[in-house]
Amino acid sequence: MNGVDLLAGATAPAAVGVVGGGRMGVGIAHAFLLAGARVQILERDDRAAAHAEQALASAVRQSVTRGTTERGEAELLADSAVTIDITALADANLVVEAVPEDLALKTDMLQRIEAVLAPSAWLTSNTSSLSITLLAAPLRRPERFLGLHFFNPVPSSTLVEIVQGERTSEAAVDAARNWVHMIGKNPIVVQDFPGFASSRLGVVIALEAIRMLEDGVATAADIDTAMVQGYKFPVGPLRLTDMVGLDVRLGIAEYLHGTLGERFAPPPLLIEMVAAGKLGRKSGEGFFSWPD
């Protein structure tokens, strides 16, 4: 394999590419950067690249200030870059695709990424619900592809879901376990069923919370408090939906509705809020207000 042999132990791949520099993509890049990898973020245009660069620099600065890394800010940033040139990923040992949750977009992007990678490189998708087997279908090396589902926010989340498609090799799963341990998180391995484990359970709870709000059972704050204080959830389902993005939650619900049936039908309130541009934290308003 080009770079560090990931199967020899929980060591960092020498070079990691992250495709998509949104909140999730920057969080993933930051995790691998702190673990010792060189990181490249690929974005669609100069404006998006500048935003991703600023976000990564801010995350690095916070890590240095909090003492969660022994390396300095300048040293860490020297090992990172943001680009709009896909060929910059050619030397990556591992690439994590983290573009929006759209099947056509992801399928196209994964094929474009694979075309520039060395045959020894690993390719993964951060999809939270789309079929890994389906995403792998047009790839030339599906045995080196799997799902690597991170959770939002990446820095404080301890779980990563490894999703094994029909043609994913055991070597890829073993390597993924090493990557996850290497960045200080805990892996679970699931098979390629709609919604995997985490999204399938999480969406059910979130959709029911939205229906309760719709029915006037309680306020958004009180519904969340019931789950945080009554069931020890770290964050309530409505606040978490704001953090994930109502549009993302709606897309997952629509996909699961089509594959698993009526229990995943998105509530009218969710549809209406997305149509009104109330997408949660990224738009400044969702079930809660996000002034920053």
Side-chain angles (χ1 to χ4, degrees), residues 62-88:
Q62 290 177 39
S63 294
V64 172
T65 300
R66 293 170 181 168
T68 55
T69 176
E70 296 180 356
R71 301 172 70 194
E73 182 179 342
E75 182 185 358
L76 286 165
L77 291 177
D79 278 342
S80 69
V82 182
T83 182
I84 61 172
D85 179 8
I86 196 169
T87 64

Side-chain angles (χ1 to χ4, degrees), residues 141-186:
R141 297 183 291 275
E143 72 280 359
R144 302 189 74 82
F145 174 71
L146 50 69
L148 203 62
H149 176 208
F150 289 80
F151 291 79
N152 191 14
V154 175
S156 60
S157 298
T158 58
L159 179 70
V160 177
E161 195 171 35
I162 298 168
V163 187
Q164 185 169 12
E166 289 180 3
R167 298 178 66 184
T168 301
S169 67
E170 289 298 330
V173 174
D174 289 342
R177 284 194 184 97
N178 276 347
W179 306 329
V180 175
H181 286 306
M182 175 267 295
I183 61 175
K185 300 186 186 298
N186 299 316

Side-chain angles (χ1 to χ4, degrees), residues 46-217:
D46 289 334
R47 181 178 179 182
H51 184 272
E53 189 170 21
Q54 291 170 4
L56 183 59
S58 176
V60 166
R61 193 173 306 115
Q62 290 177 39
S63 294
V64 172
T65 300
R66 293 170 181 168
T68 55
T69 176
E70 296 180 356
R71 301 172 70 194
E73 182 179 342
E75 182 185 358
L76 286 165
L77 291 177
D79 278 342
S80 69
V82 182
T83 182
I84 61 172
D85 179 8
I86 196 169
T87 64
L89 301 178
D91 293 331
N93 312 121
L94 164 66
V95 173
V96 183
E97 168 272 307
V99 302
E101 198 77 349
D102 177 270
L103 179 61
L105 176 62
K106 284 185 180 288
T107 300
D108 176 67
M109 182 56 70
L110 288 166
Q111 290 178 85
R112 290 173 58 200
I113 298 165
E114 188 188 47
V116 304
L117 292 181
S120 59
W122 304 99
L123 180 57
T124 72
S125 175
N126 184 50
T127 180
S128 57
S129 63
L130 298 176
S131 168
I132 294 301
T133 300
L134 192 59
L135 290 173
L139 298 180
R140 293 175 294 171
R141 297 183 291 275
E143 72 280 359
R144 302 189 74 82
F145 174 71
L146 50 69
L148 203 62
H149 176 208
F150 289 80
F151 291 79
N152 191 14
V154 175
S156 60
S157 298
T158 58
L159 179 70
V160 177
E161 195 171 35
I162 298 168
V163 187
Q164 185 169 12
E166 289 180 3
R167 298 178 66 184
T168 301
S169 67
E170 289 298 330
V173 174
D174 289 342
R177 284 194 184 97
N178 276 347
W179 306 329
V180 175
H181 286 306
M182 175 267 295
I183 61 175
K185 300 186 186 298
N186 299 316
I188 61 170
V189 178
V190 302
Q191 299 304 307
D192 188 24
F193 285 89
F196 316 139
S198 58
S199 291
R200 188 163 170 174
L201 289 169
V203 169
V204 166
I205 295 169
L207 294 182
E208 190 58 29
I210 296 169
R211 293 187 188 101
M212 289 169 64
L213 185 63
E214 214 171 35
D215 292 343
V217 172

